[in-house]
């Protein structure tokens, strides 16, 4: 059997914490900031942990060696 490789795009977008949670950048900050409220822009700074159902998909399908 060949080795399973981690998806290259997933390596750039997601990280695993020490407890196994998946960390990703906040969504909705690429363009169109004028139409977003200041509260939304402020709250979308930095990173966030994915919910359990999304994290399970990412770990199972994309971060196979993590």
């Amino acid at each position: 059997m060949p080795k399973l490789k981690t998806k290259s795009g997933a390596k750039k977008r997601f990280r695993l914490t020490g407890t196994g949670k998946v960390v990703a950048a906040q969504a909705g900050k690429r363009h169109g900031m004028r139409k977003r409220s200041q509260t939304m822009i402020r709250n979308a700074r930095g990173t966030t942990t994915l919910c359990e159902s999304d994290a399970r998909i990412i770990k199972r399908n994309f971060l196979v060696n993590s």
Side-chain angles (χ1 to χ4, degrees):
M1 285 294 293
K3 290 183 178 179
L4 286 175
K5 292 188 176 180
T6 298
K7 300 281 192 227
S8 296
K11 284 191 287 192
K12 299 165 192 168
R13 288 170 174 83
F14 305 107
R15 286 184 296 114
L16 287 181
T17 64
T19 57
K21 295 180 180 178
V22 179
V23 176
Q26 293 275 7
K29 291 281 299 264
R30 296 294 181 189
H31 59 87
M33 292 301 108
R34 291 177 62 190
K35 64 182 83 167
R36 312 227 195 282
S37 69
Q38 286 300 314
T39 310
M40 184 270 168
I41 294 173
R42 208 167 36 246
N43 289 339
R45 284 183 194 147
T47 57
T48 185
T49 57
L50 294 184
C51 67
E52 193 58 41
S53 57
D54 290 338
R56 192 178 308 121
I57 293 169
I58 295 297
K59 283 195 272 191
R60 185 190 311 141
N61 296 331
F62 301 112
L63 299 176
V64 290
N65 289 330
S66 296

